[in-house]
């Protein structure tokens, strides 16, 4: 339970960049969709369509920072959502999270925008080996919540209506088994009302990004995960990465790198490794990635494949999704989730050093 709480607290720096002179909007959204059975053992859990009700409050950033102009008026907000998952074994779920709104095609009346958020989620009926053994998705009530969505909005004075697509993901990051996680894809429509006058869109654009376009860094992380059998206990995971990125615009950077993982849980996952020495548990991989640049913060999306592993992974491809926050011009903090095709492998919490 501690790690998702830390994650939620670390998400708040987005809110700290907002200025008190900006105006709030309040609104709601209705979702209708489907719990995606991304693993064959989850098909038995899906009985009907999922639906959800959401309330939110949001406000624009101040416009004082150069990256605010890069996105033509980004906003941040807080959202609470209650969801009927469509599964009798899982029951309803609830999540609360801060989120970021980035215009893709900005406009005064019509606008295409995307939402990204992370926070905490609760499920009513977690797995229980006696009372709820058919629930193969989540082993604990408290989980990490991730949200991604895209909407087409129409502004009419202080009123805004929107329609779009969304993905809501709940997972405990393999801190407790089972942990396939749940993914709910939905269509949604919403309405919001602006309480004050509309703030002017930031005019300034970051013109200095080109001066530091090359990004080379090393990063060390620690995490924990649990493998089957259930209640076998958490074991540490260590990772070391070396990456090189290049800014291709004021908003984006692309790159590649090497990863090394040491997972003590491999001794349980593969009986052949039960008596292995520490060095025999190392996995090595190569990744490509894309960073969404937000001033001194970056949202990271990386996909990799194993070059060496002492055991056969069910999924040879892994992904890393997270955030990196600059603490000094050279040092940054990392918080990310490594997974295999929507199934969490472990959280990563660590520090990195940027050479250029």
């Amino acid at each position: 339970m501690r790690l998702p709480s830390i994650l939620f607290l670390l998400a708040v720096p987005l809110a700290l960049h907002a200025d008190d002179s900006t105006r709030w909007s309040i609104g709601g959204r209705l979702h209708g969709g489907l719990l995606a059975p991304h693993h064959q053992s989850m098909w038995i859990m899906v009985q009907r369509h999922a639906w959800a009700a959401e309330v939110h409050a949001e406000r624009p950033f101040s416009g004082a920072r150069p990256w605010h102009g890069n996105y033509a008026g980004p906003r941040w907000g807080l959202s609470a959502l209650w969801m009927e998952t469509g599964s009798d074994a899982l029951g309803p779920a609830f999540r609360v999270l801060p989120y970021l709104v980035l215009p893709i095609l900005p406009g005064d009346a019509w606008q295409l925008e995307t939402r990204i958020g992370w926070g905490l989620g609760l499920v009513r009926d977690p797995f229980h080996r006696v009372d709820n053994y058919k629930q193969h998705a989540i082993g604990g009530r408290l989980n990490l919540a991730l949200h991604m969505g895209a909407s087409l909005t129409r502004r009419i004075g202080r009123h805004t209506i929107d329609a779009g697509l969304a993905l809501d993901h709940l997972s405990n990051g393999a801190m407790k088994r089972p942990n396939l996680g749940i993914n709910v894809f939905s269509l949604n429509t919403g309405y919001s009302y602006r309480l004050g006058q509309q703030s002017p869109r930031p005019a300034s654009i970051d013109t200095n990004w080109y001066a530091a376009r090359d990004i080379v860094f090393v990063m060390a992380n620690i995490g924990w995960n649990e493998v089957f059998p259930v209640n076998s206990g958490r074991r540490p995971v260590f990772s070391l990465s070396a990456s090189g990125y290049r800014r291709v615009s004021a908003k984006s950077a692309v790159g590649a790198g090497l990863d090394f993982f040491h997972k003590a849980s491999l001794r349980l996952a593969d009986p052949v490794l039960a008596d292995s020495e520490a060095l025999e548990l190392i996995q090595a991989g190569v990744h490509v990635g894309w960073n969404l640049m937000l001033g001194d913060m970056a949202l990271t999306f990386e996909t990799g494949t194993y070059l060496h592993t002492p055991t056969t992974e069910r999924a040879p491809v892994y992904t890393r999704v997270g955030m990196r926050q600059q603490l000094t011009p050279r040092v940054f903090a990392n918080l990310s989730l490594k997974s295999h095709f929507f199934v969490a492998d472990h959280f990563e919490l660590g520090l990195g050093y940027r050479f250029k």
Side-chain angles (χ1 to χ4, degrees):
M1 294 175 61
R2 294 177 182 175
L3 190 57
S5 301
I6 294 172
L7 179 65
F8 181 72
L9 293 176
L10 290 178
V12 175
L14 284 174
L16 300 181
H17 291 296
D19 185 86
D20 288 339
S21 64
T22 55
R23 301 293 186 179
W24 286 97
S25 296
I26 56 174
R29 195 171 283 117
L30 291 176
H31 300 252
L34 181 68
L35 174 65
H38 58 282
H39 189 274
Q40 60 182 7
S41 65
M42 291 187 63
W43 281 100
I44 194 174
M45 292 175 54
V46 182
Q47 281 87 37
R48 54 192 173 273
H49 286 90
W51 67 273
E54 176 187 6
V55 293
H56 58 82
E58 65 184 45
R59 66 191 303 176
F61 285 85
S62 66
R65 295 175 179 262
W67 75 268
H68 297 168
N70 295 341
Y71 292 93
R75 308 189 304 277
W76 70 272
L78 297 171
S79 166
L81 178 142
W82 183 92
M83 178 189 304
E84 169 53 57
T85 62
S87 170
D88 293 333
L90 189 63
F94 174 80
R95 61 103 170 126
V96 58
L97 50 78
Y99 64 89
L100 180 67
V101 180
L102 300 175
I104 301 173
L105 297 175
D108 293 329
W110 293 92
Q111 181 163 281
L112 182 63
E113 57 193 29
T114 185
R115 295 186 309 279
I116 305 171
W118 51 94
L120 295 177
L122 294 170
V123 296
R124 189 189 68 184
D125 300 323
F127 169 84
H128 190 277
R129 61 182 182 179
V130 176
D131 298 331
N132 199 19
Y133 59 90
K134 292 184 179 181
Q135 203 271 74
H136 305 289
I138 289 183
R141 284 191 172 86
L142 184 61
N143 295 272
L144 164 72
L146 296 175
H147 171 81
M148 299 181 68
S151 297
L152 180 64
T153 67
R154 175 70 165 96
R155 296 192 185 94
I156 306 171
R158 295 190 180 187
H159 308 274
T160 300
I161 56 175
D162 64 77
L165 305 169
L167 165 64
D168 278 284
H169 172 79
L170 293 181
S171 166
N172 64 46
M175 295 288 283
K176 187 174 183 179
R177 291 289 179 173
N179 185 52
L180 294 174
I182 64 171
N183 299 288
V184 177
F185 294 89
S186 66
L187 298 172
N188 56 76
T189 184
Y191 165 81
S192 62
Y193 178 76
R194 190 175 66 250
L195 302 179
Q197 296 297 321
Q198 183 172 355
S199 300
R201 183 171 294 144
S204 62
I205 296 177
D206 185 4
T207 57
N208 296 320
W209 65 269
Y210 194 88
R213 66 181 305 192
D214 294 318
I215 306 168
V216 179
F217 63 87
V218 294
M219 178 177 67
N221 295 287
I222 186 172
W224 288 264
N225 71 349
E226 182 180 86
V227 297
F228 289 105
V230 174
N231 297 325
S232 61
R234 300 185 185 97
R235 285 164 173 77
V237 182
F238 300 96
S239 66
L240 179 67
S241 301
S243 302
Y245 275 78
R246 167 159 285 200
R247 295 280 291 267
V248 293
S249 72
K251 301 179 183 179
S252 300
V254 296
L258 294 172
D259 298 307
F260 299 92
F261 306 100
H262 181 277
K263 293 192 291 188
S265 59
L266 288 178
R267 291 192 178 100
L268 278 180
D270 189 340
V272 176
L273 302 175
D275 299 319
S276 298
E277 299 294 331
L279 291 179
E280 297 177 296
L281 302 178
I282 292 177
Q283 298 174 301
V286 59
H287 69 258
V288 295
W290 173 65
N291 284 357
L292 187 65
M293 311 303 292
L294 304 169
D296 56 5
M297 180 186 291
L299 301 183
T300 63
F301 306 87
E302 295 177 344
T303 299
T305 186
Y306 295 104
L307 300 176
H308 166 75
T309 179
T311 185
T312 302
E313 289 281 358
R314 293 182 179 178
V317 176
Y318 59 88
T319 59
R320 175 186 280 135
V321 179
M323 56 178 282
R324 294 171 187 157
Q325 173 70 52
Q326 290 294 140
L327 304 178
T328 74
R330 295 291 185 183
V331 178
F332 62 87
N334 176 75
L335 185 62
S336 53
L337 176 66
K338 177 176 174 277
S339 62
H340 296 108
F341 293 124
F342 291 105
V343 179
D345 190 38
H346 62 271
F347 281 116
E348 297 177 314
L349 179 63
L351 293 173
Y353 182 84
R354 176 173 170 169
F355 294 96
K356 56 187 296 190

